[in-house]
Amino acid sequence: MADEFRTTEVGDRYAQALFDLADETRSLDAVRADLKSLAAAWSDSADLRRALTSPVIATEDQQKALVAIADKAKFNKTTRNFLGLLAQNGRSKDLTAVIAGFERLYAKKTGVVAAEVVSAKALSAAQNKSVQAGLKSALGKDPELTTRVDPSILGGIKVKVGSKLFDASLKTKLDQMKSP
């Protein structure tokens, strides 16, 4: 996930509540899929980010927007109700922290190892397979890959697994050459 998806204390509390409810209603995978979809929308839409973080947009309007998104995307009832409550409590701005916290809790419960791969341009299927195989070898289990394109790294890749970052980007190598 992108850098903006970091856990916070408030996000962790809401994520724990959502996780417990999803686990209790046996909808963990459905809620996780909904949150992944919402995270992608967040990353792709500046309008969505503005609508949910702007202090000038009323809490009620943020709530209507989140519930409308959930309805249109046919989110699980647990996700839909949670998003309404999050906005009702004036916490729409904490959505990314909730998503990050939920993902962390899900990984802990299921043993999923998530890895984010950042490249200067989109990886081919063969390159994706190669990265997947290398990570499986290094980690001892199949990682769940998310990929992101960031042209500013110029070339190479960055791989983040948990709090560990492997940076083989051309930009970092050039920056290291500049430093004495």
Side-chain angles (χ1 to χ4, degrees):
M1 272 182 217
D3 291 340
E4 63 200 301
F5 289 84
R6 297 177 195 263
T7 60
T8 64
E9 187 176 330
V10 169
D12 283 346
R13 284 198 315 264
Y14 276 92
Q16 185 69 61
L18 177 59
F19 185 85
D20 291 344
L21 184 60
D23 196 21
E24 184 179 303
T25 59
R26 300 194 189 312
S27 58
L28 272 176
D29 291 330
V31 170
R32 182 174 185 239
D34 294 345
L35 293 180
K36 281 185 169 287
S37 174
L38 201 51
W42 180 276
S43 295
D44 293 344
S45 174
D47 289 339
L48 177 61
R49 291 189 302 271
R50 263 192 304 278
L52 297 181
T53 59
S54 174
V56 297
I57 297 178
T59 299
E60 297 81 33
D61 293 334
Q62 290 176 344
Q63 181 180 14
K64 286 178 189 171
L66 270 177
V67 170
I69 289 167
D71 287 343
K72 182 140 177 80
K74 296 183 175 28
F75 283 172
N76 179 284
K77 183 178 148 192
T78 301
T79 310
R80 182 195 180 283
N81 291 344
F82 175 80
L83 292 174
L85 179 69
L86 187 73
Q88 182 182 340
N89 290 347
R91 293 295 184 181
S92 296
K93 67 184 179 303
D94 295 308
L95 180 62
T96 58
V98 171
I99 293 170
F102 186 93
E103 197 57 39
R104 184 181 47 74
L105 292 166
Y106 183 89
K108 185 176 179 180
K109 179 176 177 87
T110 62
V112 167
V113 176
E116 181 184 35
V117 178
V118 180
S119 57
K121 59 183 185 173
L123 298 177
S124 69
Q127 289 169 321
N128 250 341
K129 203 174 225 179
S130 177
V131 169
Q132 180 94 21
L135 285 171
K136 182 176 182 177
S137 172
L139 300 170
K141 57 171 92 173
D142 249 337
E144 191 174 89
L145 285 186
T146 55
T147 58
R148 188 166 54 93
V149 175
D150 180 0
S152 73
I153 70 168
L154 304 176
I157 64 171
K158 290 182 177 184
V159 179
K160 185 176 181 184
V161 179
S163 62
K164 295 184 181 178
L165 176 68
F166 170 75
D167 189 344
S169 67
L170 184 56
K171 181 181 183 330
T172 298
K173 290 181 181 186
L174 289 171
D175 287 347
Q176 288 171 343
M177 290 172 66
K178 281 193 252 179
S179 300

